[in-house]
Amino acid sequence: MIIKNIGCLVTCAGDFPKLKDNLKDAGIIENGYIVTKNEIIIDVGHGDGYKKYLPEDDFVIDAEGKTVTPGLIDSHTHVVYAGSREFELPLKLNNMNYIDILNAGGGILSTVENTRKASEYELELETKKRLDLMLSHGTTTIESKSGYGLDFDTEIKMLKVNQNLNTKHPIDIVSTYLGAHAVPKEYKTDRNGYMDFIIKEVIPYIAENNLATFIDCFCENGVFDTNEASKILLAGKKAGLKIKIHADEIESVGGAELAGKLNATSAEHLVAATDAGIKAMAENKVCAVLLPTTSFYLMLNKFAPARKMIEAGVPVALATDCNPGTSPTESLQSTMTFACFGLKLLPEEIINAMTINAAYAIGMEDEIGSIEVNKKADLVIFDAKNINYLLYHFGINAVNKVIKNGSIVVENGKLV
Ligand code: NIG
Ligand code: FE
């Protein structure tokens, strides 16, 4: 396949993860072309250099001056769940906060109830609909967390949905075990019992059956504290899982510091991360996965200190946090909007943060995340003449085509 006449080819090529001022360099080629073969990119350049591949490679797409980026990577999602939580909206508007809703049996625990009731088949169908939306909005790879089961069967059911959809759906899925998302009601008076169950029963089974790559923990006041998080995450690490942490989402609890100490792959949210936490992350190259739609949706009136993190040398990625409570959106284009107008990141920084740096956040930087020879042919053609235009015209789906593993899977914004 040849894609020619690309007005703005955003390659995101070069050293990774992109740090500090390098994050502003999205490797843009004007009037570019891409040649792919057998699911892989075999040439990238500008002008009519593609002509040497004619006529045998005669499948030519004329991008008509549009913008092309690497397939977007959503490095933090809770996309597997049943039901919805629109009933929380009036509660929020009446100033009930997130942790109070959770402690009153709502929030995560109400989704847990619905997810436990759903069969694996029903859960797969609901999740597939969301993956379709993700794909049609330009996402080609995601990380997907468990954490709405909390009991053994439902957590495994969620991870199996990831595994099945990874083979059935064009989107590639990397799995994370998030048993430590909340303490379930059956352990309400026995937190240590729940942690023991995670450590002794669930983690060994998941590791043995290759059901997850990462382990995660919601480290927050009223959920799991840093000692508890540390215990759970280290047990996961010992079993061969890599570490992610929901850290300092609402209050500064030392989550970013813990991420540095444990040499985590990533720490996520970080709205209330401290300067010491940012320093610990930079020193240990822990990726910050920022979720600006969540700050907006929780009405925090505050966004993560993205600029400070970038200046300190922390690798920064962006993701949707797609979930039924704090960020009910499948669209990384919504994330782009809030990254620009909330986090005040530049368009180049935003695209790097949801491609090459997001690949780094899920350990796939050798295969995806940039438009370079030998990488996977995962590409998005946006109906925009440049990346400033892509950020400027908001609230619509700007996708023209999505190419996954070298095949067109979305055309004019619709699945094919
Ligand atoms: O990333 N913070 C914890 N987990 C999710 C929210 C899950 C929910 O409310 O259902 C988050 O915001
Ligand atoms: Fe999350």
Side-chain angles (χ1 to χ4, degrees):
M1 179 190 285
I2 295 169
I3 308 174
K4 65 169 188 180
N5 198 10
I6 302 170
C8 176
L9 171 51
V10 191
T11 65
C12 304
D15 288 348
F16 50 75
K18 292 201 185 285
L19 305 175
K20 297 189 171 184
D21 275 349
N22 261 342
L23 193 62
K24 293 192 180 98
D25 179 5
I28 293 177
I29 300 174
E30 283 173 22
N31 185 24
Y33 71 83
I34 303 167
V35 185
T36 73
K37 191 173 187 174
N38 301 335
E39 311 188 357
I40 299 293
I41 295 166
I42 60 163
D43 196 6
V44 182
H46 83 106
D48 56 10
Y50 64 87
K51 283 192 172 152
K52 58 181 176 282
Y53 297 96
L54 295 169
E56 72 266 29
D57 255 1
D58 56 4
F59 186 60
V60 182
I61 295 173
D62 185 347
E64 297 171 327
K66 294 182 174 58
T67 294
V68 175
T69 71
L72 303 181
I73 300 168
D74 199 343
S75 53
H76 177 140
T77 84
H78 307 253
V79 71
V80 183
Y81 64 84
S84 60
R85 305 227 299 269
E86 65 282 6
F87 62 87
E88 288 177 11
L89 191 54
L91 300 180
K92 281 184 8 172
L93 290 168
N94 280 305
N95 294 323
M96 192 160 173
N97 78 36
Y98 180 70
I99 297 290
D100 292 341
I101 295 175
L102 174 63
N103 289 332
I108 294 173
L109 293 176
S110 91
T111 301
V112 167
E113 227 164 89
N114 287 322
T115 306
R116 285 181 177 181
K117 276 189 241 151
S119 69
E120 188 176 316
Y121 177 72
E122 286 164 341
L123 203 53
E124 187 178 309
L125 277 188
E126 281 203 40
T127 305
K128 180 190 174 290
K129 279 191 202 159
R130 289 188 278 272
L131 294 186
D132 287 348
L133 276 168
M134 287 175 160
L135 190 63
S136 63
H137 285 79
T139 302
T140 50
T141 300
I142 66 165
E143 180 258 12
S144 170
K145 303 177 195 289
S146 70
Y148 289 124
L150 309 181
D151 64 18
F152 186 91
D153 288 350
T154 316
E155 287 293 304
I156 301 305
K157 180 171 76 183
M158 291 183 76
L159 294 171
K160 287 214 170 123
V161 167
N162 279 344
Q163 199 175 47
N164 290 337
L165 286 172
N166 186 39
T167 57
K168 290 185 197 166
H169 196 278
I171 288 185
D172 288 322
I173 303 175
V174 175
S175 283
T176 297
Y177 170 53
L178 177 58
H181 198 192
V183 176
K185 62 176 192 296
E186 57 278 17
Y187 281 99
K188 202 170 176 185
T189 56
D190 183 16
R191 306 177 62 77
N192 288 331
Y194 185 56
M195 288 175 46
D196 266 0
F197 159 75
I198 289 181
I199 292 168
K200 296 194 181 128
E201 294 181 46
V202 195
I203 290 174
Y205 183 87
I206 286 172
E208 215 167 281
N209 292 281
N210 278 322
L211 283 167
T213 307
F214 292 98
I215 181 151
D216 192 348
C217 175
F218 187 9
C219 184
E220 189 68 48
N221 270 340
V223 195
F224 292 93
D225 66 25
T226 48
N227 284 331
E228 293 169 334
S230 175
K231 225 168 151 184
I232 293 166
L233 295 169
L234 285 174
K237 186 174 181 183
K238 209 167 148 204
L241 303 173
K242 295 192 278 180
I243 296 178
K244 289 185 172 286
I245 313 179
H246 274 69
D248 306 323
E249 174 174 354
I250 299 162
E251 291 180 52
S252 307
V253 297
E257 289 86 337
L258 180 64
K261 190 168 146 205
L262 299 182
N263 227 311
T265 302
S266 61
E268 336 225 313
H269 288 285
L270 300 165
V271 176
T274 63
D275 291 352
I278 292 172
K279 187 161 172 260
M281 287 180 61
E283 280 168 4
N284 294 287
K285 277 209 164 179
V286 179
C287 192
V289 179
L290 305 183
L291 310 157
T293 53
T294 307
S295 306
F296 159 73
Y297 210 82
L298 282 170
M299 303 181 188
L300 293 179
N301 291 323
K302 196 174 154 195
F303 287 91
R307 188 56 60 200
K308 230 184 206 180
M309 291 174 181
I310 293 167
E311 277 163 14
V314 175
V316 168
L318 288 161
T320 61
D321 197 18
C322 174
N323 76 70
T326 64
S327 185
T329 181
E330 290 79 8
S331 169
L332 272 170
Q333 291 174 66
S334 323
T335 306
M336 285 183 196
T337 300
F338 288 96
C340 183
F341 295 93
L343 296 173
K344 308 274 167 62
L345 298 186
L346 298 167
E348 290 82 357
E349 294 177 313
I350 292 170
I351 302 301
N352 276 325
M354 46 180 75
T355 56
I356 189 63
N357 279 15
Y360 176 74
I362 57 172
M364 291 186 72
E365 63 275 17
D366 292 329
E367 282 169 68
I368 55 173
S370 61
I371 302 177
E372 288 177 275
V373 171
N374 289 331
K375 283 224 170 165
K376 264 199 198 193
D378 290 359
L379 307 163
V380 186
I381 304 181
F382 284 105
D383 204 351
K385 52 194 171 213
N386 54 54
I387 52 173
N388 286 339
Y389 188 91
L390 185 60
L391 271 300
Y392 151 85
H393 185 183
F394 82 102
I396 46 108
N397 183 7
V399 165
N400 168 257
K401 289 182 188 41
V402 178
I403 292 152
K404 175 69 194 170
N405 293 326
S407 302
I408 296 179
V409 289
V410 174
E411 180 89 75
N412 293 321
K414 300 265 175 306
L415 299 186
V416 293

